[in-house]
Amino acid sequence: FRLMTGGEESSMPIVSKTDLDGEPGSKVNVNKLGNLSTSSPSYVIAETDDLEGAEQALSLTEVEITPAEWGTGVRYTKSADEDVTDGLRTKAMLALGNWVAQVEDLAAYTAAIAGTSVIWGGDATSIGNMDVTDVLSLTTLNKAKAKLASDNAPIVMPNGVYVCIMNTFQSYDLFSS
């Protein structure tokens, strides 16, 4: 993307904003590209055919983001450092790492529950026609993944996977199927 990226004053299609400092509550707007419609007619292209007039319009929406700086720290005394023989500094770094993981997990969970799509298990289409056979299965998870992908839902985990939060009964159903 480096060849298509430039500053705010450039005419490049991707604008790189490196100065996010500002007043607390400052906002950054990011463009999000929607999917092309699959319901449009498909055309078989012959060597002489032209698609002019049959194009689809790009759907762009703007997402507003409020950057925030956050952090925490640990402090220990010189006597504590002398009293602990197995690496107090290492333990402090591990505690900070656990804290960051918890904050990121909470942010991922918050982003995950912000959507409005509902995927039903089994043959259910609403809460009114659910029965005991409508359980979480790999098929249900695949439907959910396809829906997230088709909605251009952001992947909130750094390793590029979606998150599924379930209770112990749903876990039992999933691993029993």
Side-chain angles (χ1 to χ4, degrees):
F1 292 107
R2 193 175 41 224
L3 297 176
M4 298 185 298
T5 304
E8 291 188 54
E9 303 301 319
S10 74
S11 61
M12 296 295 186
I14 300 172
V15 176
S16 173
K17 296 186 179 196
T18 56
D19 179 17
L20 296 179
D21 292 335
E23 299 300 316
S26 295
K27 309 245 183 264
V28 176
N29 294 317
V30 178
N31 288 324
K32 179 181 173 188
L33 181 64
N35 289 335
L36 294 175
S37 171
T38 57
S39 62
S40 293
S42 58
Y43 297 92
V44 177
I45 306 297
E47 213 173 291
T48 58
D49 284 349
D50 188 352
L51 283 176
E52 190 172 332
E55 305 91 355
Q56 294 187 45
L58 289 177
S59 167
L60 288 173
T61 57
E62 201 167 77
V63 179
E64 192 174 80
I65 299 172
T66 306
E69 207 173 320
W70 49 267
T72 193
V74 294
R75 178 182 352 176
Y76 53 89
T77 64
K78 184 176 180 182
S79 64
D81 193 23
E82 292 168 354
D83 292 343
V84 176
T85 59
D86 57 347
L88 184 59
R89 180 174 165 74
T90 302
K91 288 183 178 185
M93 289 189 316
L94 288 172
L96 285 171
N98 287 336
W99 176 82
V100 169
Q102 289 174 355
V103 169
E104 288 180 350
D105 286 351
L106 179 60
Y109 175 78
T110 303
I113 64 171
T116 57
S117 296
V118 176
I119 304 294
W120 298 97
D123 61 356
T125 57
S126 71
I127 198 163
N129 67 357
M130 282 183 68
D131 59 40
V132 296
T133 63
D134 298 321
V135 296
L136 184 62
S137 66
L138 288 176
T139 301
T140 310
L141 288 180
N142 285 331
K143 282 184 202 176
K145 182 180 175 187
K147 178 67 175 155
L148 289 167
S150 71
D151 289 347
N152 285 335
I155 296 175
V156 294
M157 298 305 288
N159 57 355
V161 297
Y162 293 107
V163 177
C164 178
I165 300 164
M166 63 182 105
N167 65 36
T168 54
F169 295 108
Q170 293 166 321
S171 178
Y172 174 81
D173 288 337
L174 179 62
F175 291 107
S176 296
S177 65

